[in-house]
Amino acid sequence: MATITIDDLEYSVEDLSDSAKAQLASLQAVDQKIIDAQQNLAILQTARNTYASALREHLPDQSSEDTESSD
């Protein structure tokens, strides 16, 4: 028998009304979408960091320009 805990109270899923079961299914679907979005965000942040690092490698060296411009 499957149970869920809400506000520290345990409920048997079988004993829930159809409406409560529908709300539970919606809640579980949203929770899964949040997990998916968090995983996508982690992937995008990693890609962003990689692109930023690659960009830095293609920028002119500022230290040599600073010494040249101060002369």
Side-chain angles (χ1 to χ4, degrees):
M1 163 171 42
T3 61
I4 59 166
T5 303
I6 300 173
D7 297 332
D8 297 325
L9 297 173
E10 196 168 284
Y11 300 89
S12 169
V13 174
E14 294 172 1
D15 295 338
L16 297 178
S17 68
D18 289 343
S19 178
K21 287 177 186 176
Q23 293 300 318
L24 176 60
S26 294
L27 180 62
Q28 290 170 330
V30 169
D31 284 344
Q32 185 58 54
K33 286 191 178 287
I34 289 170
I35 289 168
D36 293 344
Q38 288 170 332
Q39 290 172 341
N40 285 333
L41 179 57
I43 291 167
L44 292 170
Q45 287 173 326
T46 299
R48 185 191 188 285
N49 291 340
T50 301
Y51 289 133
S53 179
L55 172 60
R56 282 187 209 95
E57 292 176 12
H58 291 86
L59 295 175
D61 183 11
Q62 290 292 316
S63 60
S64 63
E65 288 182 16
D66 288 343
T67 13
E68 290 173 11
S69 62
S70 28
D71 290 339

